[in-house]
Amino acid sequence: MGFTPLAGTRAPVRVWTDPYGIEPQAAKQLRNKGALPWVEGVAVMPDVHFGKGATVGSVIAMRQAVSPAAVGVDIGCGMSAVRTSLTAADLPDDLAGLRSAIEAVIPVGFAQREKAVDPRRVRGLEQGGWDGFWRRFADLDRRVAQLEVRAQRQLGTLGGGNHFIEVCLEQGGADEGRVWLMLHSGSRNIGKELAERHIGVARRLPHNADLPDRDLAVFLAGTPEMEAYRRDLFWAQEYARRNRAVMLAVLCNVVRDRFPQVRYDEAISCHHNYVAEESYGGVDVLVTRKGAIRAGRGDLGIIPGSMGTGSYIVRGKGNPDAYCSASHGAGRRMSRAQAKRTFDTDDLAAQTAGVECRKDAGVVDEIPGAYKDITEVMARQEDLVEVVAHLKQVVCVKG
């Protein structure tokens, strides 16, 4: 479909959805972003919606500056997925046991492990460099020094909200019925603590005093505050990736214990709340993706829907107008509070029919009806990604 320019902004704001369908609060946030003097441009994904601090589903390219609130507080939040050799015929009719086995070994919600996981003892976890990674914790903002033990115990844990673990079946094509494993999580509490501290620092800097929105306060290149943020940001992004790697290895082992014949393809992993150093049109920029994945030419990515509608594995087309980005999911169409007022557990059971998952009041705010139509979201970004596989979940673990 291509993009539509959002009128009335200094820097170009390109929208991959109907601009008139964007909620007023989100549209105001986007215009405020386009007014910042450091912004080269903004790309707005089809799953866009209002977010705390900055719009979810937005990509901001800045010159010599970065806004910590535009990254969000769950630094490095993202997705991992792996295709297995199993098919639907290998799975039992009753999947409750598989869901229980997953929940038994991967803490969810606010839970942490009683003892920190030893990555060297996790079968199939190939990622190294753990000693050096943890040594760098001592270099982080001194105000989080007391959180090291908690960060270690939360490694390999899911979290709550919209984070999930799923067993999915591929839909259509030559691999109809192929089983995939998928999960969505981020940097847990340590990423949130680091983000909130740096957002607070940015708001107090003199050059941010007259911004149209104090949540868009920025750090400037060459300053101690920017260097401190980049140090903590990149560590938290690595923590998030390692957190997903541990969980995916544990998940693969749960499945392997039940299906010893299983084989796994190479895993796919992508952030959707993060910062990257990139160049467009000869201009070096810091690209902030909050609720968006990188979709450079050939990049594999994951775009989930909701807990009852399925997900997509995609390959990027490298569209520079979107700063080589695509949506991170379906995007919410109503707040959590509104979802709880609108739907009940009967609605949840109906909308997740055929999925082995929680169907209680604690996850009504994650009901599929609270999200946008993922098929429409995908249709609006055909110039950003091509679909590699369409998946439908049969097991969904929520925090």
Side-chain angles (χ1 to χ4, degrees):
M1 288 187 175
F3 69 86
T4 302
L6 188 68
T9 61
R10 182 197 61 78
V13 178
R14 307 180 186 101
V15 180
W16 270 262
T17 189
D18 177 5
Y20 299 102
I22 299 175
E23 59 204 303
Q25 286 178 297
K28 182 178 180 180
Q29 285 182 323
L30 294 170
R31 287 192 167 89
N32 286 339
K33 290 178 183 180
L36 296 180
W38 309 278
V39 171
E40 182 77 8
V42 180
V44 182
M45 300 295 101
D47 60 340
V48 61
H49 60 92
F50 175 77
K52 183 179 180 180
T55 326
V56 179
S58 62
V59 181
I60 311 173
M62 285 192 181
R63 300 180 307 278
Q64 302 295 304
V66 69
S67 171
V71 182
V73 295
D74 194 357
I75 298 172
C77 186
M79 301 284 303
S80 293
V82 64
R83 188 173 72 163
T84 81
S85 60
L86 302 175
T87 68
D90 295 311
L91 300 179
D93 293 335
D94 186 352
L95 293 168
L98 179 56
R99 176 186 151 208
S100 296
I102 296 169
E103 292 172 337
V105 295
I106 299 180
V108 302
F110 292 106
Q112 56 184 285
R113 299 180 181 276
E114 293 183 4
K115 183 179 180 182
V117 64
D118 182 351
R120 293 166 295 188
R121 300 177 66 87
V122 178
R123 180 176 45 165
L125 181 61
E126 298 178 356
Q127 194 165 20
W130 288 94
D131 290 342
F133 170 71
W134 283 116
R135 278 197 299 270
R136 285 171 24 226
F137 192 96
D139 299 328
L140 301 180
D141 189 305
R142 58 181 176 77
R143 293 169 295 178
V144 301
Q146 77 281 8
L147 298 176
E148 184 172 8
V149 171
R150 179 172 181 174
Q152 291 175 340
R153 290 180 177 175
Q154 286 195 316
L155 186 74
T157 67
L158 185 64
N162 61 357
H163 293 166
F164 63 79
I165 297 169
E166 290 183 343
V167 179
C168 306
L169 300 180
E170 193 163 337
Q171 306 294 295
D175 287 315
E176 169 82 31
R178 183 71 73 91
V179 175
W180 287 69
L181 307 180
M182 179 181 296
L183 59 87
H184 172 209
S185 189
S187 52
R188 304 297 281 110
N189 178 256
I190 188 61
K192 174 179 178 293
E193 294 288 342
L194 288 168
E196 289 179 343
R197 281 159 174 74
H198 285 289
I199 290 170
V201 170
R203 286 174 173 170
R204 294 191 294 271
L205 295 175
H207 63 260
N208 292 317
D210 297 323
L211 294 180
D213 183 346
R214 65 194 300 265
D215 281 328
L216 294 178
V218 303
F219 294 123
L220 300 180
T223 64
E225 294 86 1
M226 170 70 102
E227 292 308 307
Y229 178 62
R230 285 167 61 97
R231 176 199 65 212
D232 292 359
L233 168 80
F234 291 135
W235 186 91
Q237 288 179 182
E238 185 177 349
Y239 179 95
R241 192 179 297 281
R242 288 176 179 270
N243 181 44
R244 291 194 297 273
V246 170
M247 272 190 289
L248 189 61
V250 171
L251 177 60
C252 286
N253 289 333
V254 169
V255 174
R256 185 182 287 112
D257 289 342
R258 290 167 117 42
F259 308 96
Q261 77 278 19
V262 67
R263 299 184 307 278
Y264 296 107
D265 291 351
E266 185 175 353
I268 303 167
S269 182
C270 59
H271 289 323
H272 54 227
N273 281 15
Y274 76 112
V275 177
E277 299 169 337
E278 298 176 6
S279 181
Y280 295 92
V283 178
D284 294 332
V285 289
L286 286 168
V287 177
T288 300
R289 296 182 175 94
K290 181 177 182 180
I293 62 171
R294 177 168 171 81
R297 184 168 295 279
D299 289 344
L300 289 175
I302 307 162
I303 303 178
S306 64
M307 61 189 290
T309 59
S311 303
Y312 291 86
I313 307 298
V314 299
R315 181 179 291 109
K317 293 186 176 181
N319 189 329
D321 289 331
Y323 299 107
C324 295
S325 305
S327 79
H328 83 312
R332 298 192 72 93
R333 69 181 184 91
M334 62 177 67
S335 69
R336 296 185 181 280
Q338 184 182 353
K340 290 177 180 178
R341 292 192 298 267
T342 305
F343 300 107
D344 59 22
T345 53
D346 288 339
D347 297 316
L348 179 64
Q351 293 183 29
T352 59
V355 181
E356 172 57 45
C357 64
R358 287 177 59 186
K359 301 179 191 286
D360 57 82
V363 291
V364 166
D365 56 345
E366 281 293 298
I367 191 170
Y371 284 83
K372 297 178 181 179
D373 183 346
I374 185 63
T375 57
E376 182 178 336
V377 167
M378 295 304 299
R380 288 186 175 273
Q381 55 187 336
E382 290 179 346
D383 60 333
L384 306 183
V385 293
E386 62 175 317
V387 174
V388 174
H390 176 204
L391 313 180
K392 177 68 172 69
Q393 65 270 78
V394 290
V395 175
C396 178
V397 172
K398 282 280 190 181

